[in-house]
Amino acid sequence: MPRKDKTRGLFREIAQAPTTAQERTDAAVKLIRETEADSRADLTASLRAARMARDAGGTPPAAPPGKTKPRS
């Protein structure tokens, strides 16, 4: 008996485009999250490189001046 679903098979698995409104929304959210995650990763990498370059200078980072409470 022949198969009714001809798209299923060993090498025939093809991702189908989202069809319902919920699936389209989910696909858009996934795309937005991936692009934001990539931009955050790029920012983290650039800040890490800047911090390592700053620390490679050999001078210890100065402690921020803080107010001291007078003891009474």
Side-chain angles (χ1 to χ4, degrees):
M1 187 166 189
R3 288 184 162 183
K4 291 182 180 181
D5 186 11
K6 296 188 186 266
T7 59
R8 301 241 179 232
L10 184 59
F11 294 105
R12 295 182 187 172
E13 292 296 325
I14 299 172
Q16 297 177 353
T19 55
T20 65
Q22 180 66 38
E23 290 174 340
R24 287 191 301 268
T25 303
D26 290 344
V29 168
K30 183 177 179 183
L31 178 65
I32 291 169
R33 283 186 176 179
E34 287 175 353
T35 55
E36 287 179 354
D38 289 342
S39 66
R40 280 193 309 270
D42 293 340
L43 178 63
T44 300
S46 66
L47 291 173
R48 181 176 290 137
R51 184 173 56 246
M52 292 180 85
R54 180 196 67 199
D55 292 344
T59 58
K67 293 184 178 181
T68 58
K69 291 185 177 180
R71 294 187 180 197
S72 48

